[in-house]
Amino acid sequence: MVDKFELYHAAQSWFAKNTEIYRSSRYRALEIICKKISEVMDVQRIGIWFYTIDKEAMYEEMTFVVGGIPTQGSILKRSELPIYFEHLRAERVVISNDTFVDEATSEMVDTYMRPLNVRALMDAPIFSDGEMIGILCCEYIGKPREWDIQDKNFAASSSDFIGRLIESEKRHTYEKELRHRINYLENDLKRKLDDLNEAKLSLDLALEGAQVGKWDWDLSTNKLLLNKTWYTKLGYNYNELPQTMETFKKCLHPEDVARVFEELDRHLKGETLFYECRFRMITKSGDIQWCLDRGCIIHRTSDGKPLRVIGVNVNVTPVVKWEQSVIISEQQLKAMIQSLPTPVAMFDRDLKYLAFSSRWAEEWQNFGRAREGQNVRADFRPDWISAMEKSLQGAILSRDEDLIEFSPGNELWLRWAIQPWKNANQEIGGVIVMAENISSRKEAEMKLTQASKLSALGEMAGGIAHEINNPLSIIKGYIDLLRRHSSRQTLGPELLLQYIEKMDQTVGRISRIVNGMRRFSRESSMDEKVNYSLNKIVEETLDICQERINNNGTAVDVQFLKHDSAVYCRPVEISQVLLNLINNSYQATSSYPHPWIKIKMEELPTMFRIQIIDCGEKISTTIRQKLFQPFFTTKDIGVGTGLGLSISRGIIEEHKGKLYYQDEAPNTTFVIELPKLDTASTQISH
């Protein structure tokens, strides 16, 4: 029987010598490796998983299955498997002799281990360029297995081999790209040479065509050779000035001489691979020209002392001017942001202040004192930091209304937006945050909404007596009957219970009317949204208005939903909208000979639709265009405020629905559309 150590050692040698691994695609190479590991370790499943870029999950590159089809594409998330991911981070090899009971795999027993019958597992991290990029996963099927030190060492060495293979693949990719770029440059140079009648031009002529000055400094003789372009780009004729180091110094701006020779000296001492310096030169006409000088040592003595330095000199004045214009533009942008009348702040990629408006500094003391260069990670709320980091990835986030609690008892309504800004290279350079305090506006809107509800109640106040007096008259009638039967001694137990039950039902009706009025009139904008029966909302709305409408001769017909369903809403606000539309229909049709109002409810695939239809004719085009404008009303002075429809539309839109007038309907028809709940959460609340 072959010794396990020898078997594993032979497999490692096989990996190193197998040319197919190095010549195949990544997927094929990994498949070959996994198959070999499965064979020598007697393991039925060998998988290779790689981390996502943010290291918050791993995806299955491929899993070799003995006697089966390889799988790929599964995802393991850190948020769902924190214990497992922590073991991967802390241990060289994660070993589980029994996956059903071991801590490291406890989170995956029901979702991964049992479905695949994986009873033993050994995961070895894969490293590339010093960073853990994934794992080699050895999964044993059917029963627990005791992994020994040789198994562990072989798994670790195999994962290291895969890491080196990935590094080799990267190097091949980089080399291929480099070769491609070199070929491109060579072909480009060839095209330029062909354009010059395929003449064999010297290097100096090529540099002249590119307007690049060339210099060649012999340190042993201190002689400096300058090409024609070096002179012409400064406005001189060739050799108009002597080719010496003194000529170079003479053309340098006096303030840059020391810096230039300091950089040259650093390169001569071996402190830098290349000499590179950007400086100003004075042209023959006295103008300033910005130049980029770059060179390197090409000859040395036997003991390493530099003998010859060669380099090029390029006019970069346009680049410098562009950079200066960018700086000026950034300064102007900062000045503009500082003068904005809204609270706006600009941050870099490290979430440090670049600029902010005066309103920002005044209003947002909750964020701490703002100053340029300050990092806000410690000052801002964690959810704000998370949103800003998402924006750094390209997301644009906003909220028109958001109630934020900065501290116990300190709540503010905000309208905010966070979006990335891009630099001159069209790369995300940071984020811009706008956070406007709309608490005053929100408070005014709440007051308007409440005023609209009270106005609706005021409009129907005259009919409240009918709503309550009719049931009171019924109770009074039964009391008279009880008194008459009592005086005649004809009141039997059955008749007494019948009268009491009738009076109890009538009292319940009065109670529903009063409760509906109390519920409707209170402030509800801060209520939590709940799953509530849509049929129940319509019933409760009619409780406080149907009697008055019927007593005035208006017929009300309601088509309820056949299958009662719930909507996610603030029930009082939906009731307010319904009551407003019903009141409008009642008032608009009260002068008709036989007025009627229909409420039609229907369930559609993605929403519920409620139509409030009355016997009135179509509304004219002129009025239709203004229906939902605030303070527009066709009612007499003192009857309507003109706020009902505009506020009602705002309420429905806040519930992700729609409120509109139906043009094509033969009679006056308003339509409410509300989105359906997820079927998993449709528990009706009464």
Side-chain angles (χ1 to χ4, degrees), residues 17-29:
K17 298 176 182 178
N18 191 313
T19 57
E20 185 181 1
I21 292 176
Y22 301 97
R23 295 175 181 174
S24 301
S25 65
R26 175 195 284 196
Y27 185 88
R28 175 56 182 158

Side-chain angles (χ1 to χ4, degrees), residues 224-254:
L224 183 66
L225 296 177
L226 305 170
N227 73 344
K228 181 180 178 181
T229 307
W230 194 95
Y231 285 94
T232 57
K233 71 185 187 65
L234 294 176
Y236 294 100
N237 294 323
Y238 183 52
N239 279 337
E240 183 176 343
L241 298 175
Q243 296 202 16
T244 63
M245 187 60 74
E246 291 304 318
T247 295
F248 177 56
K249 290 182 180 179
K250 177 183 176 182
C251 294
L252 278 174
H253 192 287

Side-chain angles (χ1 to χ4, degrees), residues 463-572:
I464 296 301
H466 288 292
E467 302 290 342
I468 297 179
N469 281 339
N470 285 344
L472 286 177
S473 298
I474 294 173
I475 294 174
K476 179 66 167 59
Y478 280 115
I479 291 174
D480 290 341
L481 286 173
L482 287 172
R483 185 181 292 114
R484 188 178 307 146
H485 281 289
S486 178
S487 63
R488 296 175 181 175
Q489 295 183 353
T490 58
L491 185 63
E494 292 184 2
L495 189 60
L496 176 62
L497 288 175
Q498 181 182 349
Y499 287 169
I500 291 174
E501 183 177 352
K502 293 289 186 181
M503 287 189 289
D504 183 62
Q505 291 174 355
T506 308
V507 169
R509 179 179 170 189
I510 295 173
S511 177
R512 287 196 305 275
I513 294 171
V514 173
N515 287 337
M517 296 287 290
R518 183 186 299 115
R519 181 175 59 255
F520 181 82
S521 61
R522 71 177 180 82
E523 171 59 52
S524 62
S525 59
M526 299 301 291
D527 288 356
E528 292 289 337
K529 291 181 180 179
V530 297
N531 301 340
Y532 205 87
S533 164
L534 198 54
N535 282 347
K536 191 70 174 177
I537 292 175
V538 175
E539 289 175 356
E540 292 173 347
T541 305
L542 291 174
D543 278 343
I544 59 177
C545 68
Q546 186 168 9
E547 190 72 25
R548 172 177 65 101
I549 294 174
N550 289 341
N551 285 338
N552 283 276
T554 299
V556 179
D557 179 25
V558 183
Q559 296 180 16
F560 289 100
L561 293 174
K562 295 180 180 179
H563 304 288
D564 194 7
S565 300
V567 290
Y568 187 60
C569 66
R570 297 185 183 94
V572 174

Side-chain angles (χ1 to χ4, degrees), residues 108-148:
M108 298 186 286
V109 172
D110 294 329
T111 59
Y112 189 92
M113 302 304 171
R114 290 189 189 278
L116 296 176
N117 198 21
V118 176
R119 289 302 305 272
L121 175 144
M122 182 165 55
D123 290 346
I126 300 172
F127 289 88
S128 176
D129 294 326
E131 179 185 7
M132 190 167 92
I133 62 169
I135 61 168
L136 170 67
C137 184
C138 306
E139 300 173 350
Y140 192 74
I141 305 298
K143 60 183 179 180
R145 171 172 172 170
E146 292 289 334
W147 306 98
D148 58 26

